[in-house]
Amino acid sequence: MFHPQGLPSHLSALDRTLVMGVLNVTPDSFSDGGLFHDTSIAIEHGRAMANHGADIVDIGGESTRPGSDRISLDEELARVLPVVEALVADDIVVSIDTMRAEVAKACVDCGAAIVNDISGGKADPAMLPYVASIEKPFVLMHWRGHSNVMAQLTEYDDVARDVAAEISEQVSQAVHAGIARDRIVIDPGIGFAKTTQQNWPIIQELEILDELELPVLWGVSRKKFLGELLANDSGELRDMAGREAATTALSTYFALAGAWAVRVHDVRASRDAIEVVERLGRHHA
Ligand code: PMM
């Protein structure tokens, strides 16, 4: 298990896959839409995830649901900042899930420990220079375009290899902008500019990403490709809550493969899965 530089030391000391709990402070996010929009409820939910074993709580204010439009900078800041402040005050390690440098900066200034940019620096030209100016880990996700157009951006020759090559290119740009390579975490962006079926080879051939020799974060929790896998005989997708067991099965698989972290809604289930993997001995699996 290797960690990015700049991680809080109590997390760097852990020799297991980390669990990042998802905290979407959005009225329309696809998986927990609206539930945690209210600031105080969001804060309580973040605390509950920490109590259930989340190593990191990932706070996002902008929905990335397929087809969704962007919100304003002010709206995004108003959603995330009070939640970041409250959880940081509780000594919870917070990552900020944003494509905007200004949001990243405001949250890091309030104590956020990690910047998670689903565009890997491609959406906001100020993001890479900003991240280069701080000493925090940077989660760089594979990204081809905003949520309102990504369904049209799914042409690949060999999806697992193409995604790895495009991530490698994004990493080069980040390094070129001055971000130390050893602070970067990569993420193949499951569900982003991929058809549901295209997600599977990326997961099946996950060793291709290892060639980049960077820590890997996986975000599969409750995503549509699982709903489709578990659809009923009439073709109706499995509902969100009914996708948890499949999510946990994948957390087990990623932990066995030595993933740096999994980004999940049900923190306890994935922590338990990782405990089992550790008890069995990851390296002998
Ligand atoms: N997925 C979503 C949002 N942010 N960040 C990273 N690094 N990786 C992901 O896969 C990812 C993300 C969308 O899912 P959600 O609505 O459940 O948060």
Side-chain angles (χ1 to χ4, degrees):
M1 190 65 47
F2 61 112
H3 295 286
Q5 290 299 311
L7 199 66
S9 54
H10 70 281
L11 292 185
S12 312
L14 296 173
D15 184 29
R16 62 161 168 79
T17 297
L18 303 183
V19 174
M20 177 184 269
V22 179
L23 185 52
N24 289 322
V25 197
T26 61
D28 60 344
S29 184
F30 77 85
S31 48
D32 50 14
L35 270 185
F36 305 115
H37 186 38
D38 178 74
T39 304
S40 57
I41 297 174
I43 293 166
E44 279 316 308
H45 186 62
R47 288 180 179 142
M49 287 196 292
N51 285 335
H52 285 162
D55 301 296
I56 301 160
V57 172
D58 187 44
I59 302 173
E62 182 167 38
S63 173
T64 50
R65 180 198 177 110
S68 59
D69 289 321
R70 302 210 62 188
I71 55 165
S72 71
L73 169 67
D74 287 347
E75 174 72 23
E76 191 180 346
L77 280 171
R79 288 181 187 181
V80 297
L81 262 184
V83 184
V84 172
E85 276 170 358
L87 296 186
V88 165
D90 284 357
D91 285 332
I92 294 170
V93 177
V94 162
S95 73
I96 175 63
D97 182 349
T98 185
M99 289 183 275
R100 290 187 168 112
E102 278 184 79
V103 175
K105 179 173 188 326
C107 293
V108 167
D109 288 349
C110 282
I114 299 168
V115 177
N116 172 26
D117 178 359
I118 62 156
S119 83
K122 287 168 88 175
D124 180 350
M127 181 63 93
L128 297 179
Y130 168 64
V131 176
S133 75
I134 55 171
E135 303 283 310
K136 310 285 181 199
F138 180 53
V139 178
L140 178 155
M141 199 187 81
H142 175 253
W143 191 83
R144 285 182 158 189
H146 285 289
S147 298
N148 56 354
V149 294
M150 69 181 177
Q152 284 96 60
L153 303 172
T154 57
E155 284 289 318
Y156 297 90
D157 290 328
D158 173 333
V159 67
R161 291 238 158 248
D162 292 355
V163 165
E166 289 172 31
I167 292 176
S168 177
E169 178 56 35
Q170 285 179 245
V171 169
S172 296
Q173 284 166 12
V175 169
H176 186 72
I179 299 174
R181 197 173 194 278
D182 60 10
R183 280 204 287 127
I184 297 174
V185 173
I186 56 171
D187 177 337
I190 294 300
F192 290 87
K194 284 112 190 153
T195 64
T196 48
Q197 291 309 310
Q198 284 169 338
N199 294 304
W200 289 107
I202 299 170
I203 297 168
Q204 286 166 301
E205 299 164 49
L206 83 187
E207 65 283 351
I208 293 174
L209 288 173
D210 292 341
E211 291 169 18
L212 293 176
E213 297 184 333
L214 288 169
V216 183
L217 168 71
W218 291 90
V220 299
S221 187
R222 297 183 183 173
K223 285 186 177 169
K224 187 179 172 190
F225 77 115
L226 297 178
E228 197 177 276
L229 177 76
L230 304 172
N232 66 17
D233 292 343
S234 338
E236 284 162 29
L237 300 194
R238 179 70 63 81
D239 62 11
M240 292 296 171
R243 300 175 191 176
E244 283 302 349
T247 299
T248 307
L250 280 175
S251 288
T252 309
Y253 172 82
F254 295 133
L256 281 166
W260 175 67
V262 289
R263 181 181 178 279
V264 294
H265 298 84
D266 186 339
V267 164
R268 178 171 277 167
S270 284
R271 268 302 298 267
D272 289 355
I274 291 163
E275 289 305 326
V276 171
V277 169
E278 291 306 306
R279 180 63 186 82
L280 289 172
R282 176 171 17 104
H283 302 297
H284 308 293

